[in-house]
Amino acid sequence: MEESLQDNVEAQQRALAGLEGKSTILRLISAVGSYSLGVIPLRRGEDGLVLATFPGICPAALAVVRRRLQMPLCPVAFDENVMMFFIDKLYLKGRGVNIHTFPREDFLEDEANDERVLSLKEEKPEGTGSALAADEIVLADLRLRSELRNLDRPAPPALDAWRLGEFCPAWRGDGDRFRVWSEQPLPKEIPLLLQYSEDYHGDEYYRDLTAVAVGEWPQVLFPSEVQILGIREDGALDLYLDGATHRIPPGSNPVLRTSYCLVRHGYRFRRSIEVRVREIARVRRDALAFDPPFRGAGAPELRKWLGLETD
């Protein structure tokens, strides 16, 4: 069976489709374990448990499965797209998963981490809400940079993997007034107008600039490690980053960073996140001027976003 499945996408699809409804074999590995370690149990064979795997997964990922099941394994490399489709169909069913992270790159080799690798990470920080006066608003400008590096299958960046996403600025300081790109004044239920750019470096490379009128908490910027939990009376933001909450007052420009390791689809990754606070301003609502949503391609915001102007 294993030889007939190798490099045979149609046979792989049939084998995995035949697992629907076979809960006994599927329950050998948890949904999180299947997603993280990149495996789907197929059947019990004479030489051990036959596993469909992502191609070239790291040996330490298989070692976690072996320790948990206490049986020999017969891994068979399946097509990557086939594996992604059936892990979602058989296990996730369209639901996202929040997986545990680890400081060291050799975390899979430590048996003490197995339970966390195979289980969901509970990360739901409570929103603190807004204590800002009704006649005030906070304008925030943040820059996020994230990098995801595959430790087991490093690959050079491909030129065709670069793209520029949406460019949607929210506001700009204009002397002692502030210009907001909105069709109408913001309601008092919106205490925060946020613009944040995101530079992502991983299997693709992109840059977005997003405008968000925030009235509910927490406001998730990067699932689930970067969130704005609320605003204090003095206009300071409660910014959550990877397990810690930081108070960011108006006028301050901190740079916050975190880095951790994770396993996904049987490959270990190192993720680095940087949050650069470019500006936080607490202003009176009557100091705002409103213009139609931004459309001009030559504005200084776009030049700065493209890196043609420095901060």
Side-chain angles (χ1 to χ4, degrees), residues 98-101 116 119-123 224-225 240 242:
N98 193 18
I99 58 178
H100 285 277
T101 59
R116 296 176 65 206
S119 62
L120 280 172
K121 178 182 179 182
E122 295 294 336
E123 186 174 33
S224 58
E225 292 88 347
Y240 174 90
D242 193 22

Side-chain angles (χ1 to χ4, degrees), residues 268-284:
R268 295 168 304 130
F269 293 86
R270 164 72 69 177
R271 186 188 294 284
S272 301
I273 300 175
E274 177 185 279
V275 181
R276 186 177 296 271
V277 179
R278 299 177 62 185
E279 188 171 357
I280 296 179
R282 171 191 172 199
V283 303
R284 292 184 55 84

Side-chain angles (χ1 to χ4, degrees), residues 143 278 300-311:
R143 175 168 290 174
R278 299 177 62 185
E301 285 77 14
L302 182 57
R303 293 180 57 82
K304 185 174 291 186
W305 185 58
L306 293 173
L308 301 176
E309 293 181 1
T310 59
D311 292 340

Side-chain angles (χ1 to χ4, degrees), residues 120-133:
L120 280 172
K121 178 182 179 182
E122 295 294 336
E123 186 174 33
K124 296 181 179 179
E126 292 290 333
T128 57
S130 174
L132 201 65

Side-chain angles (χ1 to χ4, degrees), residues 12-13 16-17 19-20 26 29-42 51-55 57 78-97 99 263-267:
Q12 293 171 7
Q13 292 173 331
L16 292 174
L19 293 176
E20 289 192 79
L26 291 175
I29 192 79
S30 67
V32 177
S34 177
Y35 172 82
S36 296
L37 301 175
V39 300
I40 301 175
L42 288 174
L51 285 176
T53 75
F54 275 78
I57 67 173
F78 273 42
D79 177 82
E80 183 174 356
N81 292 320
V82 171
M83 287 295 294
M84 285 192 291
F85 177 83
F86 278 98
I87 286 176
D88 182 73
K89 185 177 181 63
L90 297 172
Y91 283 104
L92 303 183
K93 304 185 187 304
R95 300 186 299 268
V97 292
I99 58 178
V263 60
R264 185 177 66 193
H265 298 163
Y267 312 120

